[in-house]
Amino acid sequence: MNIYYINSDEFLKKYDTNFLRQYVDGQEFKSLKRFIQHSIGRYIVKTIGQNIYGIKDTKIIIENEKPKFQNSDINFSITHCGKYIAVAFDKNECGLDIEEIKPRELEPLSKRYGKDFSTLEDFYIFWTKYEAEIKLQKTAKWSHSEIFQNNYVLTAVTTIPPTNFSISAL
């Protein structure tokens, strides 16, 4: 599994929103933030699909409520939070989630989910795995969680352990 991410603040210093319009297929968005997150996610998918995986036609379709390449068996999962947009790619189905670590009351969360969250990190690892499994649409057989950029938790899940794992900035 390979994960690629972009810091949108840095990206927008090089490219403007007009450049990003080619990645939204005419969709309308409620906010500029949503437009940026969506279009950068599609930019990552299409750029990595072409340049790393050699996919000539990177058309994306929705199948079973999940985006996928129409003409490739490479799977991907997109996530975004704050200024970070990330995409996991794998030959097997995968799910990816990122969340910013924010102050939370752990006792009510522990009671609500029937878990003993002793730290915010514990809660966010649980939550990002939960969200990544929703994207996977299955129970994960493998997961990897880590603190990302000091105040985010990033979790990747899949049904079959990957043979490699990497996280790279674009």
Side-chain angles (χ1 to χ4, degrees), residues 142-154:
W142 176 90
S143 69
H144 172 85
S145 298
E146 67 179 64
I147 300 299
F148 177 79
Q149 300 296 320
N150 297 320
N151 61 331
Y152 291 80
V153 172
L154 178 93

Side-chain angles (χ1 to χ4, degrees), residues 46-57:
K46 290 175 175 280
T47 300
I48 296 300
Q50 288 175 339
N51 297 333
I52 302 296
Y53 295 100
I55 302 168
K56 291 183 181 7
D57 179 0

Side-chain angles (χ1 to χ4, degrees), residues 3-170:
I3 298 171
Y4 298 89
Y5 71 92
I6 286 178
N7 174 328
S8 62
D9 292 346
E10 297 300 315
F11 186 86
L12 292 172
K13 290 178 183 176
K14 298 177 192 170
Y15 302 98
D16 63 14
T17 55
N18 287 327
F19 168 78
L20 293 173
R21 295 207 185 284
Q22 65 187 302
Y23 296 99
V24 297
D25 301 324
Q27 290 176 279
E28 297 294 324
F29 297 89
K30 293 181 182 180
S31 69
L32 179 60
K33 179 182 173 181
R34 284 286 196 213
F35 163 76
I36 289 169
Q37 290 171 331
H38 178 88
S39 58
I40 291 177
R42 296 300 170 108
Y43 166 81
I44 296 170
V45 168
K46 290 175 175 280
T47 300
I48 296 300
Q50 288 175 339
N51 297 333
I52 302 296
Y53 295 100
I55 302 168
K56 291 183 181 7
D57 179 0
T58 58
K59 182 175 181 174
I60 297 169
I61 60 170
I62 305 299
E63 188 175 283
N64 298 322
E65 299 181 28
K66 287 176 67 168
K68 64 175 274 179
F69 290 118
Q70 179 175 318
N71 298 306
S72 176
D73 58 357
I74 297 295
N75 295 281
F76 63 87
S77 180
I78 305 169
T79 189
H80 49 77
C81 183
K83 62 186 176 183
Y84 293 104
I85 300 94
V87 182
F89 293 86
D90 199 64
K91 62 183 178 183
N92 299 303
E93 294 179 87
C94 56
L96 182 68
D97 192 53
I98 185 172
E99 293 290 336
E100 184 176 7
I101 299 171
K102 295 180 180 178
R104 309 274 313 238
E105 291 291 329
L106 294 176
E107 186 177 330
L109 291 170
S110 294
K111 286 180 182 176
R112 180 176 182 182
Y113 295 106
K115 307 272 185 194
D116 183 21
F117 302 121
S118 56
T119 66
L120 286 171
E121 184 179 319
D122 288 344
F123 169 72
Y124 280 102
I125 287 171
F126 162 80
W127 186 253
T128 55
K129 182 178 179 195
Y130 173 80
E131 290 283 318
E133 281 185 330
I134 288 172
K135 294 175 184 179
L136 180 62
Q137 298 179 341
K138 298 177 181 174
T139 301
K141 303 287 186 211
W142 176 90
S143 69
H144 172 85
S145 298
E146 67 179 64
I147 300 299
F148 177 79
Q149 300 296 320
N150 297 320
N151 61 331
Y152 291 80
V153 172
L154 178 93
T155 298
V157 299
T158 187
T159 55
I160 299 172
T163 55
N164 66 327
F165 183 83
S166 68
I167 300 176
S168 305
L170 292 181

